[in-house]
Amino acid sequence: MLRVASFVSFFLLGVGVPHVWAQSTFEPTDFNVTEALLDNGVNVSAIPALEGLVTRSSPSACSIACSSLKFLFGSSNVIIQGASGYDSFTDSYWSVQQASVDPYCIFKPSKALDVSTLVLISRLTQCPFAVRSGGHAAFAGSSSIQGGITVALEKMKGLTLSSDKKVAAIRPGNLWYDVYTQLESQNLAVIGGRVSAIGVGGLTLGGGISFFSNIYGWACDNVASFEVVSASGLVITASPTSFSDLYWALRGGGNNFGIVTKFNLQTISQGQMWGGGRLHLETEFPAVIDAFHNLGINAAQDPNAAQILSFAYAQGTKFASADLQYAKPVADAPILAEYMAIPAIQDTTKVRSLADLTVQFNASNPNGLRETYWAVTYKLDKDFTTFVKDVFFEEIAAIADAASLIPAATLQVITSPMLENMAKKGGNPLGITTADGPLLILNLNMMWANAADDTRILKANSNIVKRTVAEAESRGLAVDYIYMNYASQFQAVVPSYGATNQAKLKSIAKKYDPTGVFQELQPGYFKLDGAPNPNMP
Ligand SMILES: Cc1cc2nc3c(=O)[nH]c(=O)nc-3n(C[C@H](O)[C@H](O)[C@H](O)COP(=O)(O)OP(=O)(O)OC[C@H]3O[C@@H](n4cnc5c(N)ncnc54)[C@H](O)[C@@H]3O)c2cc1C
Ligand SMILES: *[C@@H]1O[C@H](CO)[C@@H](O)[C@H](O)[C@H]1NC(C)=O
Ligand SMILES: *[C@@H]1O[C@H](CO)[C@@H](O)[C@H](O)[C@H]1NC(C)=O
Ligand SMILES: *[C@@H]1O[C@H](CO)[C@@H](O)[C@H](O)[C@H]1NC(C)=O
């Protein structure tokens, strides 16, 4: 790791930054991939598959890339299509759309240096790649790539606490369940996902709403630093004091800037908590919306409380499911009294551990179905919340007969305390501030069985989005922001952060990745310019 070492020493010795590292030339224009690989201990001339790779981007680019990786890392870390372990890996995605994508090979790096070599081999051969952490992004190509290299981070599972226990260094192959179970014995937690099987990588890079976000903010706002592999294969640490522009960009900018090989997350003190789900019938909907709204606007009064409200439809019946949490082991917090007074037909709330609560929520999100997620933000308004609920039920009437369909409209509040926390440590690129808040987030989420129903189900989602946005505009409640972690492939997430933030993100990408490796060679998910698929149904 010659380059890494010399690079770090320039900083530590305070001898100044040599020309090639200056502001606009993080990667020099004469950057030589072959020499960079040599610095990683990889001699390109010694790799049989690379012999004769004279013209790059040959049709067999991925055959050459995957054979090279296999030569370097062995068949237990590089699984080529048809080899054992290939199908069980592709089957392990949450959505069937992602599970149906067939990469040329799956690469399982063990450390940052392996990830660096992968990026350089991709550049050398021009074989594209995708990166997968927990594999819970819904649409095809998010963390999978047809005919390319899927980089599965599952072997990068380490978690270590700093000596003062204030920071947990977490490798990106961890799921939130792994993280919470390792931290709970120390009465610690971090700001992360609410479902056990979600990955640390995707959730944190897109924002990350947790049970504790009214107290501490979103996951991205509680990252002390990121260890990142850059497009040139350098392993660098982005923090508020080093590469601070890159640190800012990674707090919500997704997969556009590098591959994160370590998330250094600030820990919180956290013991047992209270939480679960309460199920309500249609007669209670007005009371449920009142309780949702009041808790949303009053979040600062007791930020230990959190909520997720879903409207759903199953077997001809409309339901509301209120998932309620309290950060302390308290079953009767006054701030939740309005909710608890509403008659429920089922109630799983109890005092329990964080990990246990995330396992309960995982059970209602099984693998093996077709999935779609959509996101819209509006200003929080009680009558408008009722309007959104009504439009949802109107539009799903047309698709209610689709086999195994479970449609839901999940509502959350981006509360004032959450927005205040977004300004911490130099802020994030999401483009929402306390002046806008509180905000209402709608996450449409639907699961179903048959591909034949895709078109009409996507159309119903798009109708709900278009109708509610038009109404929000006429009521003065429209907000541009689209939450990456819930967005569909038809939504332009990064542009929704605002023209200024988008331009800043693009200039940061240009600085750290001048040839556009993370835009072109890693084409999936939300790129800097627009929607993955511009043809919204
Ligand atoms: C059942 C369910 C529950 C959810 N609960 C929550 C929740 O409580 N709060 C919330 O905010 N969101 C939640 N989400 C949304 C979730 O945050 C996104 O789906 C997220 O993308 C999942 O992350 P992942 O690592 O599992 O996904 P992946 O599909 O593995 O990754 C998503 C994207 O991130 C990129 N990526 C992942 N790791 C890295 C890395 N180390 N470096 C660079 N790029 C990387 C991938 O390339 C991909 O483009 C939930 C989603 C589902 C399906
Ligand atoms: C990159 O470096 C290698 C090894 O030093 C050299 O053979 C090759 O010509 C260089 N490539 C370019 C494009 O300069
Ligand atoms: C790289 O490998 C080739 C072929 O095996 C060998 O001739 C050459 O000396 C090696 N270069 C280095 C720098 O090790
Ligand atoms: C989550 O649920 C899936 C599917 O039901 C199951 O296979 C998986 O083991 C669960 N994961 C965790 C971490 O709870």
Side-chain angles (χ1 to χ4, degrees), residues 162-281:
S162 62
S163 52
D164 64 3
K165 299 190 179 178
K166 291 212 162 104
V167 174
I170 302 173
R171 294 286 179 191
N174 283 294
L175 308 180
W176 292 108
Y177 181 78
D178 309 323
V179 173
Y180 298 149
T181 48
Q182 286 176 76
L183 291 175
E184 73 186 6
S185 59
Q186 317 247 3
N187 279 321
L188 294 173
V190 288
I191 307 306
R194 297 168 293 191
V195 172
S196 54
I198 308 302
V200 167
L203 183 133
T204 308
L205 291 170
I209 311 177
S210 102
F211 296 131
F212 312 119
S213 286
N214 284 332
I215 315 175
Y216 306 99
W218 285 15
C220 64
D221 299 321
N222 288 277
V223 180
S225 62
F226 301 89
E227 181 189 271
V228 198
V229 172
S230 74
S232 54
L234 286 173
V235 184
I236 60 175
T237 297
S239 76
T241 53
S242 91
F243 305 109
S244 57
D245 50 356
L246 180 60
Y247 171 77
W248 177 84
L250 290 167
R251 288 168 65 182
N255 70 7
N256 290 297
F257 302 92
I259 302 178
V260 177
T261 46
K262 203 197 279 172
F263 291 88
N264 297 311
L265 303 186
Q266 285 168 340
T267 59
I268 60 169
S269 296
Q270 181 61 45
Q272 293 275 103
M273 60 183 293
W274 173 91
R278 285 168 55 84
L279 207 57
H280 305 283
L281 294 174

Side-chain angles (χ1 to χ4, degrees), residues 94 98 131-137 142-143 153 172 193-195 198-199 201-203 205 208-209 255 258-260 263 365 373 483 485-486 522 525:
W94 177 59
Q98 286 238 77
V131 175
R132 170 186 147 142
S133 173
H136 269 71
S142 294
S143 49
L153 300 172
R194 297 168 293 191
V195 172
I198 308 302
L203 183 133
L205 291 170
I209 311 177
N255 70 7
I259 302 178
V260 177
F263 291 88
N365 293 283
Y373 261 45
Y483 182 33
N485 288 355
Y486 296 157
Q522 184 204 232
Y525 211 51

Side-chain angles (χ1 to χ4, degrees), residues 20 37 89 150 173 177 222 234 288 373 379 451:
V20 292
L37 276 163
F89 174 81
T150 293
Y177 181 78
N222 288 277
L234 286 173
V288 167
Y373 261 45
K379 291 197 189 281

Side-chain angles (χ1 to χ4, degrees), residues 44-362:
V44 161
S45 319
I47 301 177
L50 283 170
E51 258 174 40
L53 182 74
V54 188
T55 34
R56 305 284 145 84
S57 199
S58 63
S60 56
C62 291
S63 161
I64 294 171
C66 288
S67 303
S68 302
L69 289 169
K70 196 171 159 187
F71 175 84
L72 293 169
F73 296 99
S75 55
S76 59
N77 298 309
V78 181
I79 302 168
I80 295 182
Q81 201 165 356
S84 88
Y86 183 93
D87 288 341
S88 62
F89 174 81
T90 56
D91 287 348
S92 70
Y93 284 89
W94 177 59
S95 78
V96 163
Q97 290 98 326
Q98 286 238 77
S100 306
V101 172
D102 290 319
Y104 196 99
C105 68
I106 299 147
F107 174 49
K108 300 184 179 179
S110 300
K111 54 188 188 299
L113 185 65
D114 304 350
V115 173
S116 166
T117 296
L118 168 276
V119 170
L120 297 169
I121 292 279
S122 166
R123 288 184 72 159
L124 191 68
T125 59
Q126 297 288 298
C127 171
F129 63 91
V131 175
R132 170 186 147 142
S133 173
H136 269 71
F139 59 89
S142 294
S143 49
S144 57
I145 182 160
Q146 188 68 33
I149 306 163
T150 293
V151 183
L153 300 172
E154 63 191 48
K155 290 194 172 169
M156 297 180 68
K157 277 220 188 244
L159 185 157
T160 50
L161 270 176
S162 62
S163 52
D164 64 3
K165 299 190 179 178
K166 291 212 162 104
V167 174
I170 302 173
R171 294 286 179 191
N174 283 294
L175 308 180
W176 292 108
Y177 181 78
D178 309 323
V179 173
Y180 298 149
T181 48
Q182 286 176 76
L183 291 175
E184 73 186 6
S185 59
Q186 317 247 3
N187 279 321
L188 294 173
V190 288
I191 307 306
R194 297 168 293 191
V195 172
S196 54
I198 308 302
V200 167
L203 183 133
T204 308
L205 291 170
I209 311 177
S210 102
F211 296 131
F212 312 119
S213 286
N214 284 332
I215 315 175
Y216 306 99
W218 285 15
C220 64
D221 299 321
N222 288 277
V223 180
S225 62
F226 301 89
E227 181 189 271
V228 198
V229 172
S230 74
S232 54
L234 286 173
V235 184
I236 60 175
T237 297
S239 76
T241 53
S242 91
F243 305 109
S244 57
D245 50 356
L246 180 60
Y247 171 77
W248 177 84
L250 290 167
R251 288 168 65 182
N255 70 7
N256 290 297
F257 302 92
I259 302 178
V260 177
T261 46
K262 203 197 279 172
F263 291 88
N264 297 311
L265 303 186
Q266 285 168 340
T267 59
I268 60 169
S269 296
Q270 181 61 45
Q272 293 275 103
M273 60 183 293
W274 173 91
R278 285 168 55 84
L279 207 57
H280 305 283
L281 294 174
E282 192 176 359
T283 42
E284 322 301 346
F285 286 3
V288 167
I289 288 178
D290 280 349
F292 172 81
H293 183 79
N294 291 335
L295 185 54
I297 56 173
N298 294 325
Q301 280 176 19
D302 185 349
N304 291 299
Q307 61 172 338
I308 307 168
L309 176 61
S310 296
F311 291 96
Y313 178 90
Q315 287 142 11
T317 306
K318 295 175 182 174
F319 296 96
S321 168
D323 291 326
L324 304 175
Q325 303 86 32
Y326 198 76
K328 298 190 171 129
V330 172
D332 55 357
I335 195 159
L336 292 168
E338 184 179 2
Y339 255 125
M340 298 306 283
I342 305 169
I345 55 168
Q346 190 188 307
D347 184 340
T348 63
T349 58
K350 62 176 179 182
V351 170
R352 61 216 321 201
S353 71
L354 168 59
D356 180 54
L357 189 54
T358 65
V359 169
Q360 182 191 323
F361 290 146
N362 184 46

